[in-house]
Amino acid sequence: MAARTGGTAGAAGTAGAAGIGVGPYAELTFDAEGDPDGAALRAVAALEATDLLVFAHGWNSERSTSTRLYDRFFAPFPGLVGPGVRLGYVGVVWPSIRFSDEPIPDFDSPAALTEPGDGTALDPATREALGAFWPGRGAELDRIAELLRERPGSAEALTEFGTLVRELAGAGDGSGSGNGSREVPAIFAEDVRTVCRALADGFAAAGGPTGEDPAAEDPAGPGFALGDVPRGLWRGAKELLRQATYYQMKKRAGVVGERGLGPVLAELAGRRPDLRVHLIGHSFGARLVSFALRAVPDGAGYVKSVTLLQGAFSHYAFTDRLPHDRDRGGALRGLQHRVDGPVVACHSAHDAALGVFYPLASRTAGDSAGLLGFDERWGAVGYDGVQAVPDVPRLTLDQALRDGVPAAGCVSVDTASVVRRGGPPAGAHSDICHPELARVVVSAGRMGR
């Protein structure tokens, strides 16, 4: 790939480094606790740039996938910015996991966008990734893989599977969902048969087949006394495993943002006070960059824009008062004011991961609505934009590209006109590599020609 230049290459980031076609480029690598790689800050500080694009990948990713994402997403920027802007590019790499049977538009074959993986069985790449994600739990993971492959018809087997997954998720260890919340999602607390049926129905709603025996045909209620388990429930069981990694990633993204990226950006601002920082995050990477704002001092001014691409966190995160609990605010209440520019939430109704599975996975134990049925409390910002923040502009993508985005505060941009491709279970969740979205970032950061 021919190199595209966005400025003079620094010592840490020549064009083409790490497979990235723009430069100068460097990576910020964090471990699960948010501790950065020792040389990462020096590498980023060495980039010769006026404006730094800092992009954090999402949950369903690993090193090679995130590098390809950054290369593809960053590609249009050199041709979009004004002559006084020298761009530096930073890829945030944090411990995530890739379910390789979940297709990513532009990265996987066209057939993968419409055909699910090998039924409920774990493919070897996913099994290997799970082993790295939960080290020392090989025996449990082998048993989980065996159950998903064989799909036994007994209630005892499904109960065993649910117990193993919930232990891996640590949902009963009191750790909660992180960042101040100790609520346990209902999918890790309620009857496993009910949960797997709801998740199988969710997979069907996302456009995927449920298997030989659809969960909807299950004649039994929550209890196991009425007989065997339909094989279609194992589709929901596999989704429960996927949601266990989701649960862990949700906690980890907040930790890496608040304890890792946020302090690194503050130190970078001390070294390079004139550097303008533009944060970009996809999926849980959007949560990561948003939680980094907790470490940005009021009035600091070095974060000039935040662009959230299919953000996998609550659409109420920035509100001062939750509609269903007026005594509480969102987890990020008021933090949009720590950005010297706008916080732009790009959202799409074609995102099945956020429209179907995010609400299922976010409901807490004891929620009176149960697992099924729509409840706005559990909506995602990447599905319908910022909610319950007064006077938030709601723009179409065409409007945002034609007129630009406001200079400050939260902004919602409906990007469904381009973010629309993808197969089950995630739908268009990862369909983000579009020049139109790069133009939104440039508009938010006031970097255009």
Side-chain angles (χ1 to χ4, degrees), residues 3 85 89 138 169 225 229 266 383 393 407:
V85 176
Y89 304 86
V229 171
Y383 185 73

Side-chain angles (χ1 to χ4, degrees), residues 134-154:
W134 283 305
R137 307 301 291 270
E140 294 94 327
L141 289 169
D142 285 343
R143 178 56 177 160
I144 284 171
E146 179 183 16
L147 289 169
L148 287 174
R149 182 177 63 251
E150 297 181 355
R151 294 187 293 172
S154 70

Side-chain angles (χ1 to χ4, degrees), residues 319-332:
T319 188
D320 289 333
R321 294 180 181 275
L322 296 171
H324 52 277
D325 186 348
R326 304 297 291 177
D327 293 329
R328 296 173 54 204
L332 301 170

Side-chain angles (χ1 to χ4, degrees), residues 157-331:
L158 193 65
T159 299
E160 178 189 4
F161 179 89
T163 299
L164 288 170
V165 170
R166 288 165 175 177
E167 288 177 353
L168 288 175
D173 64 3
S175 61
S177 58
N179 304 104
S181 172
R182 305 186 69 83
E183 298 174 328
V184 175
I187 60 170
F188 298 122
E190 296 192 6
D191 171 78
V192 67
R193 186 170 189 151
T194 300
V195 167
C196 288
R197 181 174 184 175
L199 290 172
D201 288 346
F203 186 79
T210 57
E212 300 169 13
D213 302 295
E217 296 178 4
D218 178 9
F224 293 135
L226 296 183
D228 294 339
V229 171
R231 289 168 65 85
L233 284 190
W234 288 100
R235 176 64 259 183
K238 184 176 184 180
E239 192 57 42
L240 179 62
L241 176 63
R242 190 190 307 269
Q243 295 304 320
T245 68
Y246 163 101
Y247 179 67
Q248 294 290 83
M249 286 300 96
K250 179 180 180 180
K251 294 187 287 183
R252 185 174 295 176
V255 168
V256 174
E258 183 174 359
R259 302 179 189 172
L261 180 60
V264 163
L265 293 177
E267 186 172 347
L268 178 64
R271 297 187 184 197
R272 300 276 302 277
D274 295 329
L275 191 63
R276 295 160 45 91
V277 176
H278 308 276
L279 300 179
I280 309 162
H282 169 237
S283 185
F284 276 143
R287 178 180 170 89
L288 191 158
V289 300
S290 297
F291 272 82
L293 297 176
R294 287 184 166 183
V296 174
D298 287 329
Y302 52 84
V303 177
K304 297 299 182 181
S305 67
V306 178
T307 305
L308 310 174
L309 306 172
Q310 302 311 116
F313 62 95
S314 173
H315 57 192
Y316 294 140
F318 292 101
T319 188
D320 289 333
R321 294 180 181 275
L322 296 171
H324 52 277
D325 186 348
R326 304 297 291 177
D327 293 329
R328 296 173 54 204

Side-chain angles (χ1 to χ4, degrees), residues 47-208:
L47 298 182
E48 297 180 15
T50 60
D51 292 73
L52 213 58
L53 302 178
V54 181
F55 194 162
H57 65 77
W59 156 49
N60 192 39
S61 185
E62 38 76 37
R63 183 66 172 266
S64 64
T65 307
S66 62
T67 300
R68 287 192 292 163
L69 170 65
Y70 297 151
D71 179 56
R72 185 71 62 86
F73 190 82
F74 284 149
F77 281 89
L80 298 176
V81 298
V85 176
R86 298 195 315 276
L87 290 179
Y89 304 86
V90 176
V92 176
V93 179
W94 58 288
S96 177
I97 186 171
R98 172 84 200 275
F99 269 74
S100 58
D101 66 341
E102 182 174 316
I104 298 178
D106 297 325
F107 293 172
D108 296 319
S109 66
L113 300 182
T114 56
E115 298 177 7
D118 182 23
T120 60
L122 295 179
D123 63 88
T126 297
R127 171 61 185 87
E128 181 180 359
L130 289 169
F133 187 69
W134 283 305
R137 307 301 291 270
E140 294 94 327
L141 289 169
D142 285 343
R143 178 56 177 160
I144 284 171
E146 179 183 16
L147 289 169
L148 287 174
R149 182 177 63 251
E150 297 181 355
R151 294 187 293 172
S154 70
E156 292 77 13
L158 193 65
T159 299
E160 178 189 4
F161 179 89
T163 299
L164 288 170
V165 170
R166 288 165 175 177
E167 288 177 353
L168 288 175
D173 64 3
S175 61
S177 58
N179 304 104
S181 172
R182 305 186 69 83
E183 298 174 328
V184 175
I187 60 170
F188 298 122
E190 296 192 6
D191 171 78
V192 67
R193 186 170 189 151
T194 300
V195 167
C196 288
R197 181 174 184 175
L199 290 172
D201 288 346
F203 186 79

Side-chain angles (χ1 to χ4, degrees), residues 331-425:
L332 301 170
R333 60 184 300 176
L335 292 190
Q336 66 268 30
H337 302 303
R338 297 188 182 181
V339 180
D340 187 23
V343 175
V344 182
C346 297
H347 59 94
S348 171
H350 300 299
D351 188 330
L354 300 183
V356 176
F357 291 107
Y358 180 89
L360 281 172
S362 298
R363 293 178 187 272
T364 56
D367 176 18
S368 60
L371 285 170
L372 300 176
F374 179 74
D375 190 325
E376 289 184 350
R377 282 178 293 176
W378 312 119
V381 70
Y383 185 73
D384 60 2
V386 175
Q387 302 290 330
V389 175
D391 302 320
V392 170
R394 304 189 66 84
L395 309 177
T396 66
L397 181 58
D398 286 344
Q399 289 172 325
L401 297 180
R402 183 186 67 239
D403 303 327
V405 299
C410 291
V411 184
S412 294
V413 177
D414 186 344
T415 59
S417 59
V418 296
V419 180
R420 56 185 305 110
R421 297 179 302 140

